[in-house]
RNA sequence: GCGUCUAUAGCUCAAUUGGAUAGAGCGUCAGCCUCCGGAGUUGAAGAUAUAGGUUCAAAUCCUAUUAGGCGCCCCA
């Protein structure tokens, strides 16, 4: 319908002055929020009045005079400063019902993505502890965005980057070993500052002890402590042997990863791919990219370290790739990782990061473009932190101190649907406050129940219809019997759905979809309260059933993208 | 200090991306079940941080100010 109107305006403009060329993209047509302004309106006259050397209202008048008739359009009016308002013939508005009933779960899908390959990397929390509430937002966001992109015809791969190399993992291993020694000898005290302190460390240590007894025991473990954590790690490695240290490391990482996978499953999230940082070191990729960067004059040596010239690429300063002690930095493996993404032929690479990483964007973007050579595009989306509150008091979320609320706890207490909806209903670049007490104590606060209730009501009507020995059958002629304002409101919402799908994917804003669902549900509830669906008149009954059946399809389609259930009964 | 994100109703969030009278939920107040599920519905009160600017039009864009989050390691 929008396109029809755009076309009409374009043709009219052509008649007014055939030398001026206004492209169809410049013509904006939008839905009216107030029915008295018609169904669609365009601001074209105000936008281009200067091009035509006339006042907005005059140009609008001219457009109106030159616009040709169309069977779908009842009348056209000029209003306010120069809006052109289009009133649509009622019957053609209801035609979307027919389209939805025919397309069902395909309604809303499009082919804009042209099957392009997209890699979307999200969560990627370090395997040093369980996922906490802070990770939940990025998880829900990434998963929903993937579904949205799929709905728009992209070929999406969801990937989790596992940081299973580097110092943090060594610290994790050390933390486990320390607890392990405490288990064996309770006199061994845990008092080193920088180790991981969560309860799960005990669990891992206990499992290792249960399965392998004192294999990893070193005499006088205490004595290897050092002020520098690096030395501490080194001492333990040397005395335990590199091999055994790695065994403990692998067991710990696997334990935590299994836990993370379990939590993600509870959230309804499935990753297509788990990419190990360590694989980049093992297969030589890391060495190759450092060599490549060096040969292409993107690096230099200073203070016995190898530096990446990231300042030239927009970063605040240059960054170290290889440290003085010949260890690689996190950045260097990350560059290798992104080089790998490019080599897997993704047209678009999306990273979803916490907003605390924003300073990191320019350097990885710069490195990415060195390798992508324009063939692939990197998009980094930052998700703002969720501040966690328990009532009035703020809860800290430090993995290190072990003081955090796990995502699993939240999912179990609040439920998957409510949690996902809560995360997604807010714009991702908006800081948000998450009050656990509120979420737990009063779950009817969450609009997800409101939407599910609308769906359950529709299902309930169809159940009742069946119990009465009746059946719903559809015929296009029924649509003529829909005439109430509430029916029109619903149908307008329904025809807007494909646009919401398009827009929320393009702009990476799933909250547009959650808002839409809320609005649709509201129209449905309002209608339900005012009108009886199951009336005696066959024509009217079937017409109304067709309307709510179409609404049901849209609710179900959108809920699948958001990742929530739409129960028939609640 | 530099960079970056943000500021909308008492609270938590929206606003079709520059559009017409800024919308919801919670909370407050007043109504609606002999009727398809009251987890619902109808209404009332209540808001664009401050000061300028840009134009037909500003919550939205620009500048300054104020307040807050985050980032500024050879950490990951």
């Amino acid at each position: 319908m929008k396109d029809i109107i755009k076309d009409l305006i374009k043709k009219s403009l052509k008649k007014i002055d055939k030398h001026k060329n206004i492209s169809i993209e410049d013509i904006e047509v939008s839905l009216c929020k107030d029915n008295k302004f018609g169904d669609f309106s365009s601001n074209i006259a105000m936008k281009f009045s200067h091009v035509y050397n006339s006042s907005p209202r005059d140009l609008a008048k001219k457009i109106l005079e030159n616009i040709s008739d169309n069977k779908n359009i009842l009348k056209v009016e000029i209003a306010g400063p120069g809006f052109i308002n289009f009133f649509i013939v009622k019957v053609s508005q209801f035609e979307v019902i027919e389209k939805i009933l025919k397309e069902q779960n395909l309604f809303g899908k499009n082919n804009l993505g042209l099957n392009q390959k997209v890699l979307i990397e999200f969560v990627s929390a370090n395997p040093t502890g369980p996922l906490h509430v802070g990770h939940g937002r990025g998880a829900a966001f990434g998963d929903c965005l993937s579904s949205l992109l799929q709905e728009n015809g992209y070929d999406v791969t969801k990937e989790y980057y596992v940081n299973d190399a580097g110092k943090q993992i060594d610290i994790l291993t050390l933390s486990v070993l320390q607890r392990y020694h405490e288990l064996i000898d309770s006199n061994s005290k845990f008092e080193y500052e920088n180790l991981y302190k969560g309860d799960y460390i005990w669990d891992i240590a206990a499992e290792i002890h249960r399965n392998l007894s004192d294999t990893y025991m070193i005499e006088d473990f205490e004595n290897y402590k050092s002020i520098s954590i690096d030395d501490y790690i080194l001492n333990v490695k040397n005395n335990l042997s590199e091999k055994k240290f790695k065994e403990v490391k692998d067991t710990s990482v696997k334990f935590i990863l299994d836990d993370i996978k379990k939590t993600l499953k509870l959230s309804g999230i499935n990753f297509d791919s788990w990419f190990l940082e360590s694989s980049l070191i093992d297969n030589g990729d890391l060495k190759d990219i450092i060599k490549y960067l060096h040969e292409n004059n993107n690096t230099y040596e200073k203070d016995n370290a190898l530096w990446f010239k990231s300042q030239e690429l927009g970063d605040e300063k240059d960054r170290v790739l290889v440290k003085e002690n010949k260890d690689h930095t996190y950045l260097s493996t990350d560059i290798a990782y992104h080089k790998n993404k490019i080599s897997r032929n993704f047209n678009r690479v999306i990273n979803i990061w916490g907003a605390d990483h924003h300073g990191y964007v320019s350097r990885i973007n710069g490195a990415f473009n060195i390798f992508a050579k324009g063939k692939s595009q990197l998009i980094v989306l930052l998700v703002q932190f969720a501040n966690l509150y328990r009532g009035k008091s703020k809860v800290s979320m430090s993995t290190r101190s072990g003081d955090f609320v796990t995502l699993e706890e939240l999912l179990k207490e609040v439920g998957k649907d409510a949690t996902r909806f809560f995360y997604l209903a807010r714009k991702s670049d908006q800081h948000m406050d998450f009050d656990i007490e509120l979420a737990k104590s009063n779950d009817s606060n969450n609009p997800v129940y409101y939407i599910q209730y609308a769906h359950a009501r529709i299902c309930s009507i169809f159940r009742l219809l069946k119990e009465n020995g009746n059946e719903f059958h559809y015929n296009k002629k029924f649509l003529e019997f829909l005439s109430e304002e509430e029916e029109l409101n619903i149908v307008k919402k329904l025809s807007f759905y494909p646009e919401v799908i398009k827009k929320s994917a393009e702009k990476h804003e799933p909250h547009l979809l959650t808002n839409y669902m809320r609005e649709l549900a509201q129209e449905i509830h309002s209608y339900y309260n005012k009108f009886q669906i199951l009336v005696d008149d066959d024509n009217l009954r079937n017409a109304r059933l067709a309307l709510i059946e179409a609404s049901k399809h849209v609710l179900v389609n959108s809920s699948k993208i958001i990742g929530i259930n739409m129960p028939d009964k609640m």
Short mmCIF file of all heavy atoms in Angstrom, two decimals, chain B residues 54-70:
data_model
loop_
_atom_site.label_atom_id
_atom_site.label_comp_id
_atom_site.label_asym_id
_atom_site.label_seq_id
_atom_site.Cartn_x
_atom_site.Cartn_y
_atom_site.Cartn_z
P U B 54 19.14 30.52 14.26
OP1 U B 54 19.35 31.64 13.32
OP2 U B 54 17.90 30.42 15.05
"O5'" U B 54 19.34 29.16 13.45
"C5'" U B 54 20.58 28.87 12.80
"C4'" U B 54 20.52 27.50 12.18
"O4'" U B 54 20.57 26.48 13.22
"C3'" U B 54 19.24 27.18 11.43
"O3'" U B 54 19.24 27.73 10.13
"C2'" U B 54 19.24 25.66 11.43
"O2'" U B 54 20.14 25.14 10.48
"C1'" U B 54 19.78 25.37 12.83
N1 U B 54 18.71 25.18 13.83
C2 U B 54 18.06 23.95 13.86
O2 U B 54 18.36 23.04 13.12
N3 U B 54 17.08 23.84 14.81
C4 U B 54 16.67 24.80 15.70
O4 U B 54 15.77 24.55 16.49
C5 U B 54 17.38 26.05 15.61
C6 U B 54 18.35 26.19 14.69
P U B 55 17.83 28.08 9.40
OP1 U B 55 18.13 28.42 7.99
OP2 U B 55 17.11 29.05 10.27
"O5'" U B 55 17.04 26.71 9.46
"C5'" U B 55 17.07 25.78 8.38
"C4'" U B 55 15.68 25.23 8.14
"O4'" U B 55 15.22 24.61 9.36
"C3'" U B 55 14.65 26.33 7.82
"O3'" U B 55 13.63 25.86 6.96
"C2'" U B 55 14.09 26.65 9.18
"O2'" U B 55 12.85 27.26 9.17
"C1'" U B 55 14.05 25.26 9.82
N1 U B 55 14.05 25.33 11.30
C2 U B 55 13.42 24.34 12.02
O2 U B 55 12.91 23.35 11.51
N3 U B 55 13.39 24.54 13.38
C4 U B 55 13.92 25.62 14.05
O4 U B 55 13.81 25.68 15.26
C5 U B 55 14.56 26.60 13.24
C6 U B 55 14.61 26.43 11.92
P C B 56 12.54 26.88 6.35
OP1 C B 56 12.19 26.34 5.03
OP2 C B 56 12.98 28.28 6.46
"O5'" C B 56 11.29 26.65 7.31
"C5'" C B 56 10.31 27.68 7.48
"C4'" C B 56 9.02 27.06 7.95
"O4'" C B 56 8.57 26.10 6.96
"C3'" C B 56 9.14 26.21 9.22
"O3'" C B 56 9.08 27.02 10.39
"C2'" C B 56 7.95 25.28 9.10
"O2'" C B 56 6.75 25.91 9.46
"C1'" C B 56 7.94 25.01 7.59
N1 C B 56 8.67 23.77 7.24
C2 C B 56 8.08 22.54 7.53
O2 C B 56 6.98 22.53 8.07
N3 C B 56 8.73 21.41 7.21
C4 C B 56 9.93 21.46 6.63
N4 C B 56 10.53 20.32 6.34
C5 C B 56 10.56 22.70 6.32
C6 C B 56 9.90 23.82 6.64
P A B 57 10.12 26.73 11.58
OP1 A B 57 9.82 27.67 12.67
OP2 A B 57 11.48 26.68 10.99
"O5'" A B 57 9.72 25.26 12.06
"C5'" A B 57 8.52 25.08 12.82
"C4'" A B 57 8.26 23.61 13.02
"O4'" A B 57 8.24 22.94 11.74
"C3'" A B 57 9.32 22.86 13.82
"O3'" A B 57 9.12 23.02 15.20
"C2'" A B 57 9.08 21.42 13.37
"O2'" A B 57 8.00 20.84 14.05
"C1'" A B 57 8.68 21.61 11.90
N9 A B 57 9.80 21.37 10.98
C8 A B 57 10.58 22.30 10.32
N7 A B 57 11.51 21.75 9.56
C5 A B 57 11.33 20.40 9.74
C6 A B 57 12.00 19.27 9.19
N6 A B 57 13.02 19.35 8.34
N1 A B 57 11.57 18.06 9.58
C2 A B 57 10.54 17.98 10.44
N3 A B 57 9.84 18.95 11.01
C4 A B 57 10.28 20.15 10.61
P A B 58 10.37 23.12 16.21
OP1 A B 58 10.15 24.22 17.15
OP2 A B 58 11.62 23.14 15.42
"O5'" A B 58 10.26 21.77 17.03
"C5'" A B 58 10.32 20.49 16.46
"C4'" A B 58 11.02 19.55 17.42
"O4'" A B 58 12.23 19.10 16.77
"C3'" A B 58 11.47 20.18 18.73
"O3'" A B 58 11.58 19.16 19.71
"C2'" A B 58 12.85 20.69 18.39
"O2'" A B 58 13.69 20.82 19.50
"C1'" A B 58 13.36 19.58 17.46
N9 A B 58 14.35 20.03 16.49
C8 A B 58 14.72 21.29 16.16
N7 A B 58 15.65 21.36 15.23
C5 A B 58 15.91 20.03 14.94
C6 A B 58 16.80 19.42 14.03
N6 A B 58 17.62 20.09 13.23
N1 A B 58 16.81 18.08 13.99
C2 A B 58 15.98 17.42 14.80
N3 A B 58 15.10 17.87 15.68
C4 A B 58 15.11 19.20 15.71
P A B 59 10.40 18.83 20.68
OP1 A B 59 9.38 18.09 19.91
OP2 A B 59 10.03 20.08 21.38
"O5'" A B 59 11.03 17.84 21.75
"C5'" A B 59 12.01 18.30 22.67
"C4'" A B 59 12.90 17.16 23.09
"O4'" A B 59 12.09 15.98 23.28
"C3'" A B 59 13.95 16.75 22.06
"O3'" A B 59 15.12 17.52 22.20
"C2'" A B 59 14.19 15.29 22.40
"O2'" A B 59 15.09 15.17 23.48
"C1'" A B 59 12.80 14.84 22.85
N9 A B 59 12.03 14.18 21.78
C8 A B 59 10.90 14.63 21.18
N7 A B 59 10.43 13.81 20.26
C5 A B 59 11.32 12.75 20.28
C6 A B 59 11.40 11.57 19.54
N6 A B 59 10.51 11.21 18.62
N1 A B 59 12.42 10.73 19.79
C2 A B 59 13.31 11.08 20.72
N3 A B 59 13.36 12.17 21.49
C4 A B 59 12.32 12.97 21.22
P U B 60 15.98 17.99 20.93
OP1 U B 60 17.25 18.55 21.44
OP2 U B 60 15.09 18.79 20.07
"O5'" U B 60 16.30 16.64 20.15
"C5'" U B 60 17.16 15.66 20.71
"C4'" U B 60 17.17 14.43 19.84
"O4'" U B 60 15.81 14.00 19.63
"C3'" U B 60 17.79 14.64 18.46
"O3'" U B 60 18.59 13.53 18.12
"C2'" U B 60 16.58 14.73 17.53
"O2'" U B 60 16.81 14.25 16.23
"C1'" U B 60 15.58 13.83 18.25
N1 U B 60 14.19 14.20 17.97
C2 U B 60 13.41 13.31 17.25
O2 U B 60 13.82 12.24 16.85
N3 U B 60 12.13 13.72 17.00
C4 U B 60 11.56 14.91 17.40
O4 U B 60 10.40 15.14 17.10
C5 U B 60 12.43 15.78 18.13
C6 U B 60 13.69 15.40 18.39
P C B 61 20.17 13.67 18.22
OP1 C B 61 20.78 12.38 17.84
OP2 C B 61 20.50 14.27 19.52
"O5'" C B 61 20.48 14.75 17.09
"C5'" C B 61 20.84 14.36 15.79
"C4'" C B 61 21.34 15.54 15.00
"O4'" C B 61 20.21 16.39 14.65
"C3'" C B 61 22.27 16.48 15.77
"O3'" C B 61 23.60 16.01 15.73
"C2'" C B 61 22.09 17.79 15.02
"O2'" C B 61 22.82 17.80 13.82
"C1'" C B 61 20.60 17.75 14.69
N1 C B 61 19.77 18.44 15.71
C2 C B 61 19.84 19.84 15.81
O2 C B 61 20.61 20.45 15.07
N3 C B 61 19.07 20.47 16.72
C4 C B 61 18.25 19.77 17.51
N4 C B 61 17.51 20.44 18.39
C5 C B 61 18.16 18.34 17.42
C6 C B 61 18.93 17.73 16.52
P C B 62 24.63 16.32 16.90
OP1 C B 62 25.85 15.52 16.68
OP2 C B 62 23.89 16.20 18.18
"O5'" C B 62 24.97 17.86 16.66
"C5'" C B 62 25.72 18.26 15.53
"C4'" C B 62 26.01 19.74 15.62
"O4'" C B 62 24.75 20.47 15.51
"C3'" C B 62 26.58 20.20 16.95
"O3'" C B 62 27.98 20.02 17.01
"C2'" C B 62 26.17 21.67 16.99
"O2'" C B 62 27.02 22.47 16.20
"C1'" C B 62 24.79 21.62 16.34
N1 C B 62 23.71 21.50 17.34
C2 C B 62 23.30 22.65 18.02
O2 C B 62 23.86 23.73 17.77
N3 C B 62 22.30 22.56 18.93
C4 C B 62 21.71 21.38 19.17
N4 C B 62 20.74 21.36 20.07
C5 C B 62 22.11 20.21 18.49
C6 C B 62 23.11 20.30 17.60
P U B 63 28.69 19.70 18.39
OP1 U B 63 30.10 19.35 18.12
OP2 U B 63 27.85 18.76 19.16
"O5'" U B 63 28.64 21.11 19.13
"C5'" U B 63 29.35 22.22 18.60
"C4'" U B 63 29.13 23.43 19.48
"O4'" U B 63 27.75 23.88 19.36
"C3'" U B 63 29.31 23.20 20.97
"O3'" U B 63 30.66 23.20 21.37
"C2'" U B 63 28.52 24.36 21.56
"O2'" U B 63 29.25 25.57 21.49
"C1'" U B 63 27.34 24.45 20.59
N1 U B 63 26.17 23.70 21.09
C2 U B 63 25.36 24.34 22.02
O2 U B 63 25.59 25.47 22.42
N3 U B 63 24.29 23.60 22.46
C4 U B 63 23.96 22.32 22.09
O4 U B 63 22.96 21.79 22.57
C5 U B 63 24.85 21.73 21.13
C6 U B 63 25.90 22.42 20.68
P A B 64 31.09 22.35 22.64
OP1 A B 64 32.57 22.37 22.70
OP2 A B 64 30.37 21.06 22.66
"O5'" A B 64 30.52 23.24 23.83
"C5'" A B 64 31.12 24.50 24.14
"C4'" A B 64 30.28 25.24 25.16
"O4'" A B 64 28.92 25.36 24.66
"C3'" A B 64 30.11 24.53 26.50
"O3'" A B 64 31.21 24.70 27.36
"C2'" A B 64 28.84 25.19 27.03
"O2'" A B 64 29.11 26.47 27.55
"C1'" A B 64 28.01 25.33 25.75
N9 A B 64 27.10 24.19 25.58
C8 A B 64 27.24 23.10 24.75
N7 A B 64 26.25 22.24 24.84
C5 A B 64 25.42 22.80 25.79
C6 A B 64 24.18 22.38 26.34
N6 A B 64 23.57 21.27 25.99
N1 A B 64 23.61 23.18 27.27
C2 A B 64 24.24 24.31 27.63
N3 A B 64 25.38 24.82 27.18
C4 A B 64 25.93 24.00 26.26
P U B 65 31.54 23.57 28.44
OP1 U B 65 32.80 23.97 29.11
OP2 U B 65 31.43 22.24 27.80
"O5'" U B 65 30.35 23.74 29.47
"C5'" U B 65 30.22 24.94 30.24
"C4'" U B 65 28.95 24.90 31.06
"O4'" U B 65 27.80 24.76 30.18
"C3'" U B 65 28.82 23.70 32.00
"O3'" U B 65 29.54 23.87 33.21
"C2'" U B 65 27.31 23.65 32.23
"O2'" U B 65 26.89 24.63 33.16
"C1'" U B 65 26.78 24.02 30.85
N1 U B 65 26.47 22.81 30.05
C2 U B 65 25.27 22.18 30.32
O2 U B 65 24.48 22.57 31.15
N3 U B 65 25.02 21.07 29.56
C4 U B 65 25.83 20.53 28.59
O4 U B 65 25.48 19.51 27.99
C5 U B 65 27.06 21.24 28.38
C6 U B 65 27.33 22.33 29.10
P U B 66 30.13 22.59 33.93
OP1 U B 66 30.97 23.08 35.04
OP2 U B 66 30.71 21.70 32.91
"O5'" U B 66 28.83 21.90 34.54
"C5'" U B 66 28.05 22.57 35.52
"C4'" U B 66 26.82 21.76 35.86
"O4'" U B 66 25.96 21.68 34.68
"C3'" U B 66 27.06 20.31 36.22
"O3'" U B 66 27.48 20.14 37.56
"C2'" U B 66 25.70 19.69 35.95
"O2'" U B 66 24.79 19.98 36.99
"C1'" U B 66 25.28 20.43 34.69
N1 U B 66 25.65 19.69 33.46
C2 U B 66 24.83 18.65 33.08
O2 U B 66 23.83 18.33 33.70
N3 U B 66 25.22 17.98 31.94
C4 U B 66 26.33 18.24 31.16
O4 U B 66 26.55 17.57 30.17
C5 U B 66 27.14 19.34 31.64
C6 U B 66 26.77 20.00 32.74
P A B 67 28.46 18.91 37.92
OP1 A B 67 28.85 19.08 39.33
OP2 A B 67 29.51 18.80 36.88
"O5'" A B 67 27.50 17.65 37.80
"C5'" A B 67 26.45 17.46 38.75
"C4'" A B 67 25.60 16.26 38.36
"O4'" A B 67 24.99 16.51 37.07
"C3'" A B 67 26.36 14.96 38.17
"O3'" A B 67 26.66 14.31 39.37
"C2'" A B 67 25.39 14.18 37.29
"O2'" A B 67 24.31 13.67 38.05
"C1'" A B 67 24.86 15.28 36.37
N9 A B 67 25.64 15.35 35.12
C8 A B 67 26.66 16.21 34.80
N7 A B 67 27.15 16.02 33.60
C5 A B 67 26.41 14.96 33.10
C6 A B 67 26.44 14.28 31.87
N6 A B 67 27.29 14.56 30.88
N1 A B 67 25.57 13.27 31.69
C2 A B 67 24.72 12.98 32.68
N3 A B 67 24.59 13.55 33.88
C4 A B 67 25.48 14.55 34.02
P G B 68 27.98 13.37 39.43
OP1 G B 68 28.11 12.95 40.84
OP2 G B 68 29.10 14.07 38.76
"O5'" G B 68 27.58 12.12 38.54
"C5'" G B 68 26.84 11.05 39.14
"C4'" G B 68 26.30 10.12 38.09
"O4'" G B 68 25.85 10.88 36.92
"C3'" G B 68 27.29 9.14 37.47
"O3'" G B 68 27.59 8.06 38.33
"C2'" G B 68 26.54 8.72 36.21
"O2'" G B 68 25.49 7.83 36.52
"C1'" G B 68 25.94 10.06 35.77
N9 G B 68 26.79 10.70 34.77
C8 G B 68 27.56 11.82 34.89
N7 G B 68 28.20 12.14 33.79
C5 G B 68 27.83 11.17 32.88
C6 G B 68 28.19 10.97 31.51
O6 G B 68 28.95 11.66 30.82
N1 G B 68 27.58 9.86 30.97
C2 G B 68 26.72 9.03 31.64
N2 G B 68 26.24 8.00 30.95
N3 G B 68 26.36 9.19 32.92
C4 G B 68 26.95 10.27 33.47
P G B 69 29.00 7.30 38.16
OP1 G B 69 29.17 6.48 39.37
OP2 G B 69 30.05 8.28 37.78
"O5'" G B 69 28.76 6.35 36.91
"C5'" G B 69 27.76 5.35 36.98
"C4'" G B 69 27.72 4.57 35.69
"O4'" G B 69 27.27 5.43 34.61
"C3'" G B 69 29.07 4.06 35.20
"O3'" G B 69 29.46 2.87 35.86
"C2'" G B 69 28.79 3.84 33.71
"O2'" G B 69 28.04 2.66 33.50
"C1'" G B 69 27.91 5.05 33.40
N9 G B 69 28.71 6.19 32.91
C8 G B 69 29.04 7.32 33.59
N7 G B 69 29.76 8.15 32.87
C5 G B 69 29.89 7.52 31.65
C6 G B 69 30.56 7.93 30.46
O6 G B 69 31.18 8.98 30.25
N1 G B 69 30.44 6.99 29.45
C2 G B 69 29.77 5.80 29.56
N2 G B 69 29.78 5.02 28.48
N3 G B 69 29.14 5.40 30.66
C4 G B 69 29.24 6.31 31.65
P C B 70 31.01 2.59 36.13
OP1 C B 70 31.09 1.32 36.88
OP2 C B 70 31.62 3.81 36.67
"O5'" C B 70 31.59 2.36 34.66
"C5'" C B 70 31.21 1.22 33.91
"C4'" C B 70 31.71 1.35 32.49
"O4'" C B 70 31.17 2.56 31.90
"C3'" C B 70 33.20 1.52 32.32
"O3'" C B 70 33.90 0.29 32.45
"C2'" C B 70 33.28 2.11 30.92
"O2'" C B 70 33.04 1.13 29.94
"C1'" C B 70 32.10 3.07 30.94
N1 C B 70 32.51 4.44 31.35
C2 C B 70 33.11 5.26 30.39
O2 C B 70 33.25 4.82 29.23
N3 C B 70 33.50 6.51 30.72
C4 C B 70 33.33 6.95 31.97
N4 C B 70 33.74 8.18 32.24
C5 C B 70 32.73 6.13 32.97
C6 C B 70 32.34 4.89 32.62
#
